[in-house]
Amino acid sequence: MWFGVSILMRGESRHRPSSDWLWEETIVLVEAESEEAAAAMAAARGRAAECSFATGSGETVHWIFNRVAQTCPIDGEPVSGTEVFSRHLRAAEVASLLSPLD
């Protein structure tokens, strides 16, 4: 069975307050026997993506796996145009999605 899975990562820096940390949502396509197995596979992928790096200004940023936010089962085999993930958003969330990062 196929699933669209949302993975949340956060970019932390001791030079910035937590309100200024960046977040990344990654949506991946996972083939698994169950929703729980798909979530576990996505969590492993998120943990494997954790890293730290220095910015041009010398600030160290740590990208840390936060959680699997949601899993969405996909009906049938994915082909071009298959919906892999959907969610409902509040107006403030849409405004945030449409605002460029500073």
Side-chain angles (χ1 to χ4, degrees):
M1 185 170 194
W2 289 94
F3 297 87
V5 185
S6 167
I7 301 168
L8 287 178
M9 305 285 289
R10 70 178 180 269
E12 298 181 1
S13 170
R14 66 180 183 92
H15 298 287
R16 295 174 187 253
S18 61
S19 61
D20 286 345
W21 291 346
L22 289 179
W23 288 81
E24 177 182 63
E25 178 183 33
T26 302
I27 299 169
V28 296
L29 186 62
V30 176
E31 186 175 24
E33 293 296 319
S34 67
E35 191 167 338
E36 294 78 15
M41 292 169 69
R45 178 184 174 131
R47 284 189 288 280
E50 291 183 333
C51 65
S52 298
F53 62 91
T55 67
S57 64
E59 175 183 358
T60 299
V61 175
H62 306 281
W63 277 105
I64 299 170
F65 169 71
N66 179 263
R67 73 182 69 164
V68 170
Q70 190 173 357
T71 59
C72 293
I74 297 171
D75 293 327
E77 291 290 315
V79 295
S80 180
T82 298
E83 180 179 307
V84 297
F85 188 83
S86 66
R87 62 184 172 144
H88 295 97
L89 302 169
R90 292 180 177 85
E93 293 169 309
V94 172
S96 176
L97 286 172
L98 298 176
S99 299
L101 293 174
D102 296 331

